[in-house]
Amino acid sequence: MKNLLLLFALLVSTSVWCQTKLIEKVTKTGDEIVIPYEKYELENGLTLIIHEDHSDPIVHVDVTYHVGSAREELQKSGFAHFFEHMMFQGSENVADEEHFKIVTESGGTLNGTTNRDRTNYFETLPSNQLETALWLESDRMGFFLDAVTQEKFEVQRATVKNEKGQNYDNRPYGRYRELQAAAMYPYGHPYSWLTIGKLEDLDRVDVEDLKSFFMRWYGPNNATLTIGGDVEPKEVVKLVEKYFGVIPSGPQVDPLKLTPPVLESDRYVSYVDDKIRFPAVIFSYPTVPRFHPDEAPLDCLAEILGSGKSSYLYKNFVQTQKAISASASHPASELAGEFSMFVLPFPGQTLSDFEKEVRNILEEFAKNGVTDDDIQKFKANQEASTINSLSSVSGKVSQLASYETFYGDPDAIKFDLDRYLNITKEDVMRVFEKYIKGKPAVVLSVVPNEETAPAQPDNYEIPTEGKSEYPTTDYSGLEYKRPEGDQFDRSARPGLGDNPVVKVPDFWEDKFENGIKVIGTESDEIPTITLQLTLNGGHKLEAKDLSKAGVASLTASLMNEATENFTSEEIQEELRKIGSRISVGSGQTSTSVYISTLVKHLDRTLELAEEIIMHPAFNEDDFERLKKQQLEGIQAQLKDPAATASQIFQKLLYGKGHVYAVPGSGEEETVNNISLDDVKAFYAEYYSPAVAELVIVGDISKDEIMPKLDFLKSWEGKDVEIPELPKTKKADKTKLYLVDKTDAPQSQIRIGYLTDLDYDLTGDYFKSYLMNFPLGGAFNSRINLNLREDKGWTYGARSYFAFDDPEDPIAYVATAGVKADATAGAVNEFMKEIKEYQKEGISEEELAFMRKAVGQRDARSYETPGQKASFLRRIIHYDLDKSFVDKQTEIIESISKKEIDNLAKKYLDYEKMYILVVGDEASNLKQLEELGYEIVKLNEEGEPKVIRP
């Protein structure tokens, strides 16, 4: 229920007359879908939205600035995203690198994101840390510019370049969106470049340009502060007035309105990407902005054409084994939208043929039209998606902030859902005729080499110079207004309230006679139920016969296909009609069946789950198609430097002949050995209740759910023996292994070895996690601060202890993707940090930081159904009780510097580590040789080429 107030709204502040106005209050009165909130406006124009939710002792704070790359202009791209980085680099009262440190040691997590139309910064913390979050966010809103330095500017410029290298230039298909945007939008249109910006623009910009951009767009009157969680609104208002009230308004910001792009004819563009195996053809049509009446039916059209096994693209391309994947989407932004179809054909076929087939599919759809089932499935998925988005405070806060920013009303969730639930078949056909059928498109081809022809020869040259017809911003005359009038010492970090009481979820346990262990917890925050059935074994079972490695993965894939009573299409469409999800996947040590449904559809969902788990059809056609996809995927991995590095590193750690040295998807030779009979045998032997664990989380009691699980209680299966793996041979000394990726703009680095740690959540394993936290386990760890924040060589670097099964060795791993010319330097800095920490140990400051950061994390550990399920899985799998959480807390509070130092000496054995570099050999070999390690050259399969002393 919404209560709109008159112009002279309710006075809520007792400190400053009429400083803050209550604009509206929305409450929940029944079962309607609504996010309750109170909305205020400060005198400086800042919009404040408060959502009160006491279900967990956490608070989520989001500051959304209505500025993204759309406010940039020609030759000055990337500013908004650059500011996302710069705003974490300290402000007048928050020291360099302190933002991440303060939030992390408060037991919180944080980040920032930028898109075309907005930039947001957010934190999730224990509720007693609210004032800290407001202090941090207000300081960078009002007291940021004086802390900006040329040095910080240069480091972040390098970091952004590394982000572009890692996420775009060095990633398969990483550049297609850049060309797609430039071909779709007119020259100078702010959507014609990506949020990341262009490297030449980043090189062109200086620190004064950046300051001007901040002064123009980052005022409180262009921001929405949204706070949700375990809070009292009156107290929140007082704190917000205290920290944000003195910040002066910025220049007025008028809505940006641009004419949507119009294509006069098809535009064919292409580029070569030597990191891909599959060519790609992408169709893109200009459409409508967000919240336009035609957005919802266009979204429905995209689902009909490209989502699910009944979609036109899937049936014509994937099911027929012509393509490894095919999809459609309709992302809509504030100023415009694009309807896209993306097809990845198998090698050996021409993109021109695929272009014709895509056009034929559109003609086929035009003849067939929209069915009642199409509409039912779309609406069911929209309803389920909306309800699931309300499972976390951060999800609800994000929605409130987005609706306020782009719709002008936080209370838009019902309107938003209704516009999807009210669409008709006629609406979908109308938008198809208006925007897609026979309309010009950008047709983009991505090819693996010059010999592969694009769909059509390029007929459109993307402009790179000329005059822009789009409005520019006058940045002259802007003046930094330093906030004045604080009635407190802003340089002092706020004190903390009482630590919140963190309640470990209550749970119940049971065990079926056939061996299935069951654990569950009741949660009524949203009307959903999540079940996770885990079958222990997975890829590890293949140790018995490595000649058919990949059979566990292939079996799980086939479980998502036809059953004895349903075709592949029918079973998935039955699920989509009710907005439920059942998926089967295999990992290193287990196979999992994930089930998610609204409460009202539980019975039907469990009927379908029984069909999938108990009655797989294992059809020959499905098998051949999925086997082909798995083989092609294996080949595609070899093109991806990050995937190559991870796979070869596993081979170094475990050695030839070990099951973990082989990817879970298998290798080309082993997958070729697998027959359909092998899959049937794997299912018969290893899909058994004897190794099953079931986790249940949701709005249902034990008494209600247990009678519905008779199909699992009556499941019969064999006893399963999970193999004990052989001992691994450790390195006798540290060596450097080099894999050549010619001309790679980045190098992938992996460093580590198999430790002697045993898995124990209250023993050395857990304590070593604490030990590593300041070294490489946090954003402001030694490793990340060195390589990312100080050097600007990487988008991120970290280290951790990893394992797949508590019975198996635990590896220590350090990892990063770094710019090519910093490869040797990065290896050197990695090893320097590990050595120094091993020898000198943790500092008292780092010890205090770790205690606070890890000690307060539990406040946000049990919020969502997924988090609860993960916690319960650990309980049942490792035979724990709730007390392990208390024991961990005791360890965090009592562990000494001496104990941590001893753990570092014992488990950071830098003299027996594998160093792997996947990058350009020609430009890096000499510098790597100077590091003094023995170098072993490997091919892309991880086999030695040449040993160089």
Side-chain angles (χ1 to χ4, degrees):
M1 177 180 178
K2 177 182 288 192
N3 302 312
L4 295 177
L5 303 182
L6 299 176
L7 180 63
F8 298 102
L10 176 67
L11 175 70
V12 295
S13 169
T14 57
S15 59
V16 182
W17 182 257
C18 283
Q19 184 180 17
T20 302
K21 294 182 293 185
L22 173 62
I23 306 300
E24 62 190 22
K25 182 174 180 176
V26 171
T27 57
K28 185 170 184 176
T29 58
D31 294 332
E32 74 275 21
I33 295 178
V34 65
I35 308 174
Y37 68 89
E38 295 179 15
K39 176 180 173 180
Y40 300 85
E41 184 178 300
L42 274 65
E43 195 172 45
N44 59 11
L46 177 67
T47 298
L48 168 64
I49 300 170
I50 306 169
H51 166 64
E52 186 177 2
D53 177 359
H54 299 291
S55 58
D56 293 281
I58 59 175
V59 61
H60 186 81
V61 176
D62 177 290
V63 181
T64 296
Y65 296 91
H66 198 165
V67 55
S69 57
R71 293 292 186 174
E72 300 161 359
E73 53 198 69
L74 199 61
Q75 297 186 341
K76 293 184 178 180
S77 66
F79 277 31
H81 175 257
F82 203 159
F83 249 107
E84 180 204 320
H85 283 253
M86 289 297 295
M87 294 263 278
F88 285 103
Q89 300 309 304
S91 47
E92 183 175 322
N93 300 291
V94 181
D96 299 357
E97 322 300 353
E98 284 289 296
H99 203 112
F100 271 94
K101 181 180 179 183
I102 289 170
V103 172
T104 304
E105 75 177 1
S106 300
T109 183
L110 73 161
N111 213 331
T113 66
T114 309
N115 66 25
R116 290 168 161 178
D117 308 305
R118 64 99 185 101
T119 303
N120 68 343
Y121 302 89
F122 49 89
E123 300 91 6
T124 306
L125 304 108
S127 52
N128 66 321
Q129 304 282 355
L130 171 61
E131 191 168 0
T132 296
L134 298 179
W135 170 66
L136 290 168
E137 291 296 350
S138 64
D139 210 61
R140 62 177 165 192
M141 179 185 284
F143 300 85
F144 172 71
L145 285 187
D146 284 342
V148 174
T149 65
Q150 188 67 35
E151 182 181 3
K152 292 181 186 178
F153 175 84
E154 294 299 343
V155 169
Q156 290 310 308
R157 172 153 56 189
T159 300
V160 171
K161 287 182 177 182
N162 282 314
E163 181 179 356
K164 190 171 190 303
Q166 181 170 318
N167 292 340
Y168 298 85
D169 301 338
N170 207 37
R171 178 171 290 177
Y173 311 99
R175 290 190 57 227
Y176 94 84
R177 293 189 187 277
E178 189 172 17
L179 272 74
Q180 181 188 49
M184 171 73 73
Y185 293 93
Y187 185 64
H189 190 292
Y191 283 4
S192 68
W193 53 80
L194 299 187
T195 304
I196 191 77
K198 300 179 179 179
L199 289 182
E200 58 267 29
D201 291 351
L202 292 173
D203 288 332
R204 187 182 293 117
V205 67
D206 63 33
V207 71
E208 295 304 318
D209 291 325
L210 214 61
K211 288 182 178 181
S212 295
F213 191 81
F214 177 85
M215 287 187 284
R216 179 65 187 86
W217 303 113
Y218 287 78
N221 52 306
N222 196 36
T224 297
L225 170 62
T226 310
I227 299 166
D230 187 20
V231 298
E232 298 292 341
K234 289 183 179 180
E235 295 303 314
V236 172
V237 172
K238 291 178 183 178
L239 289 172
V240 171
E241 287 180 342
K242 173 182 176 179
Y243 286 101
F244 290 86
V246 300
I247 301 174
S249 295
Q252 180 177 334
V253 178
D254 297 321
L256 183 62
K257 294 183 179 180
L258 298 178
T259 304
V262 176
L263 303 181
E264 299 297 334
S265 61
D266 288 326
R267 294 177 177 178
Y268 290 93
V269 292
S270 65
Y271 77 98
V272 175
D273 184 346
D274 62 4
K275 295 176 292 299
I276 65 172
R277 174 170 174 77
F278 311 106
V281 60
I282 305 109
F283 283 68
S284 299
Y285 299 83
T287 61
V288 298
R290 189 178 178 192
F291 295 119
H292 187 284
D294 290 344
E295 181 193 8
L298 280 164
D299 287 350
C300 183
L301 175 64
E303 185 169 299
I304 293 169
L305 289 176
S307 294
K309 294 182 178 178
S310 68
S311 70
Y312 283 78
L313 292 174
Y314 182 89
K315 291 172 75 171
N316 281 274
F317 291 137
V318 181
Q319 191 170 328
T320 59
Q321 301 189 42
K322 294 178 181 178
I324 192 166
S325 69
S327 61
S329 61
H330 180 241
S333 301
E334 187 175 19
L335 304 178
E338 301 114 31
F339 188 100
S340 295
M341 293 177 287
F342 191 114
V343 183
L344 291 178
F346 284 117
Q349 302 170 87
T350 66
L351 292 185
S352 61
D353 285 343
F354 273 83
E355 181 200 353
K356 293 173 186 174
E357 291 203 50
V358 170
R359 297 191 187 280
N360 289 339
I361 285 171
L362 296 179
E363 289 298 324
E364 181 185 355
F365 172 77
K367 293 176 184 177
N368 295 341
V370 182
T371 68
D372 290 334
D373 278 355
D374 290 333
I375 298 296
Q376 179 186 347
K377 288 180 292 187
F378 179 72
K379 291 180 178 181
N381 279 289
Q382 288 296 321
E383 180 186 28
S385 176
T386 299
I387 291 173
N388 280 299
S389 72
L390 306 179
S391 66
S392 68
V393 169
S394 63
K396 290 181 283 189
V397 165
S398 297
Q399 292 221 39
L400 290 169
S402 181
Y403 287 140
E404 171 64 25
T405 301
F406 297 117
Y407 190 67
D409 184 357
D411 189 29
I413 189 167
K414 186 177 186 304
F415 153 77
D416 201 12
L417 180 58
D418 283 349
R419 70 193 180 111
Y420 286 94
L421 298 184
N422 293 331
I423 65 169
T424 65
K425 294 186 289 185
E426 291 74 22
D427 289 330
V428 178
M429 292 308 298
R430 175 179 53 79
V431 297
F432 172 70
E433 296 279 349
K434 185 174 181 179
Y435 301 102
I436 311 300
K437 184 182 178 184
K439 299 300 186 290
V442 172
V443 183
L444 172 63
S445 301
V446 188
V447 295
N449 49 56
E450 297 284 357
E451 290 72 41
T452 304
Q456 299 291 338
D458 291 7
N459 70 351
Y460 180 75
E461 186 174 348
I462 294 173
T464 57
E465 57 184 18
K467 185 178 181 180
S468 171
E469 298 180 359
Y470 290 88
T472 59
T473 301
D474 182 5
Y475 289 98
S476 65
L478 292 172
E479 185 177 351
Y480 172 48
K481 301 174 185 176
R482 190 179 185 282
E484 295 179 356
D486 276 335
Q487 303 298 309
F488 67 99
D489 181 5
R490 191 177 285 269
S491 65
R493 179 177 171 179
L496 303 179
D498 293 335
N499 284 335
V501 177
V502 181
K503 189 174 182 298
V504 176
D506 291 326
F507 57 86
W508 51 266
E509 293 184 80
D510 208 328
K511 187 174 182 178
F512 298 158
E513 290 185 6
N514 59 3
I516 300 178
K517 300 176 183 177
V518 189
I519 189 169
T521 186
E522 187 172 355
S523 175
D524 62 0
E525 292 179 38
I526 57 174
T528 66
I529 297 172
T530 297
L531 297 93
Q532 182 176 317
L533 178 68
T534 301
L535 305 173
N536 292 303
H539 175 51
K540 188 175 183 179
L541 295 166
E542 297 169 357
K544 298 177 180 179
D545 183 7
L546 275 179
S547 70
K548 295 183 180 179
V551 67
S553 176
L554 194 49
T555 304
S557 296
L558 274 162
M559 295 287 290
N560 295 299
E561 299 294 331
T563 68
E564 292 175 359
N565 299 299
F566 294 89
T567 66
S568 296
E569 178 183 332
E570 287 170 344
I571 192 77
Q572 292 302 319
E573 296 316 298
E574 286 297 308
L575 287 166
R576 293 181 66 204
K577 286 177 184 178
I578 54 177
S580 297
R581 179 186 167 202
I582 302 176
S583 62
V584 185
S586 178
Q588 287 283 76
T589 60
S590 65
T591 295
S592 294
V593 183
Y594 177 85
I595 304 169
S596 175
T597 181
L598 299 181
V599 173
K600 63 183 180 181
H601 297 310
L602 175 63
D603 290 345
R604 180 57 175 156
T605 302
L606 290 178
E607 289 175 3
L608 297 171
E610 179 179 2
E611 184 71 22
I612 289 169
I613 297 168
M614 303 299 180
H615 306 289
F618 296 132
N619 289 336
E620 186 73 38
D621 288 347
D622 291 336
F623 171 76
E624 292 299 334
R625 171 169 45 82
L626 292 174
K627 180 176 177 178
K628 181 177 180 181
Q629 290 179 1
Q630 192 157 317
L631 285 167
E632 292 291 346
I634 291 168
Q635 291 298 313
Q637 292 282 327
L638 297 175
K639 296 277 189 176
D640 184 348
T644 298
S646 296
Q647 289 187 10
I648 293 178
F649 192 65
Q650 288 289 103
K651 292 182 179 182
L652 291 174
L653 287 177
Y654 292 100
K656 194 170 183 178
H658 195 287
V659 64
Y660 292 160
V662 180
S665 57
E667 295 174 331
E668 187 173 7
E669 179 182 355
T670 66
V671 174
N672 275 322
N673 291 337
I674 301 171
S675 68
L676 182 56
D677 285 340
D678 292 324
V679 168
K680 293 177 179 179
F682 190 90
Y683 171 81
E685 187 164 356
Y686 298 124
Y687 278 58
S688 168
V691 288
E693 297 158 355
L694 178 63
V695 177
I696 304 167
V697 176
D699 190 11
I700 195 166
S701 68
K702 178 183 179 182
D703 290 342
E704 291 171 313
I705 187 67
M706 291 298 272
K708 299 177 185 292
L709 300 176
D710 287 343
F711 74 98
L712 290 177
K713 295 176 185 176
S714 60
W715 185 12
E716 296 180 1
K718 300 177 180 179
D719 288 337
V720 176
E721 181 183 350
I722 298 176
E724 183 176 336
L725 301 184
K727 294 286 186 181
T728 53
K729 182 181 179 181
K730 297 185 179 180
D732 55 353
K733 67 174 182 177
T734 297
K735 296 179 184 178
L736 193 151
Y737 297 81
L738 177 61
V739 178
D740 184 26
K741 281 284 184 183
T742 306
D743 296 329
Q746 273 202 328
S747 296
Q748 288 290 329
I749 297 174
R750 305 287 185 271
I751 299 172
Y753 78 115
L754 293 178
T755 71
D756 293 322
L757 273 169
D758 293 321
Y759 182 79
D760 185 344
L761 281 171
T762 55
D764 272 7
Y765 171 75
F766 177 69
K767 293 175 183 178
S768 293
Y769 161 76
L770 304 180
M771 175 270 290
N772 177 68
F773 194 77
L775 173 63
F779 180 88
N780 55 304
S781 66
R782 293 188 186 189
I783 288 172
N784 195 57
L785 286 184
N786 183 340
L787 271 71
R788 172 178 161 136
E789 299 302 299
D790 295 344
K791 304 289 194 310
W793 288 347
T794 181
Y795 185 48
R798 63 193 181 107
S799 63
Y800 54 93
F801 288 93
F803 73 99
D804 292 296
D805 188 290
E807 302 299 320
D808 300 335
I810 295 171
Y812 174 74
V813 182
T815 176
V818 302
K819 65 179 184 177
D821 62 3
T823 302
V827 171
N828 187 58
E829 293 299 319
F830 258 124
M831 295 304 293
K832 184 190 78 172
E833 294 291 356
I834 294 169
K835 289 176 183 178
E836 288 184 359
Y837 196 75
Q838 197 260 12
K839 290 180 178 179
E840 299 172 12
I842 194 171
S843 70
E844 291 294 344
E845 181 183 3
E846 288 171 330
L847 180 59
F849 163 72
M850 180 276 294
R851 287 196 206 283
K852 293 176 183 176
V854 182
Q856 299 182 84
R857 66 181 178 171
D858 280 349
R860 52 184 180 85
S861 294
Y862 317 114
E863 182 188 12
T864 67
Q867 289 173 314
K868 290 183 174 77
S870 178
F871 173 75
L872 295 183
R873 168 86 210 294
R874 280 196 295 169
I875 292 281
I876 199 167
H877 186 65
Y878 299 120
D879 194 24
L880 303 169
D881 57 42
K882 283 184 180 181
S883 66
F884 91 89
V885 177
D886 296 329
K887 291 176 183 176
Q888 286 185 339
T889 300
E890 293 173 8
I891 291 169
I892 294 165
E893 293 173 349
S894 64
I895 194 167
S896 66
K897 171 178 165 49
K898 181 179 180 180
E899 189 170 3
I900 285 181
D901 290 352
N902 287 337
L903 289 167
K905 285 181 170 60
K906 186 174 183 181
Y907 296 117
L908 297 178
D909 192 355
Y910 62 86
E911 293 183 338
K912 295 182 179 179
M913 289 187 177
Y914 299 95
I915 303 172
L916 174 65
V917 173
V918 179
D920 181 57
E921 179 182 319
S923 59
N924 287 305
L925 182 58
K926 182 178 179 183
Q927 294 94 326
L928 289 171
E929 287 176 333
E930 291 172 355
L931 297 179
Y933 299 106
E934 178 182 334
I935 293 178
V936 180
K937 292 184 181 181
L938 305 176
N939 60 26
E940 293 187 348
E941 285 74 41
E943 298 295 332
K945 290 166 63 176
V946 178
I947 297 180
R948 180 185 294 271

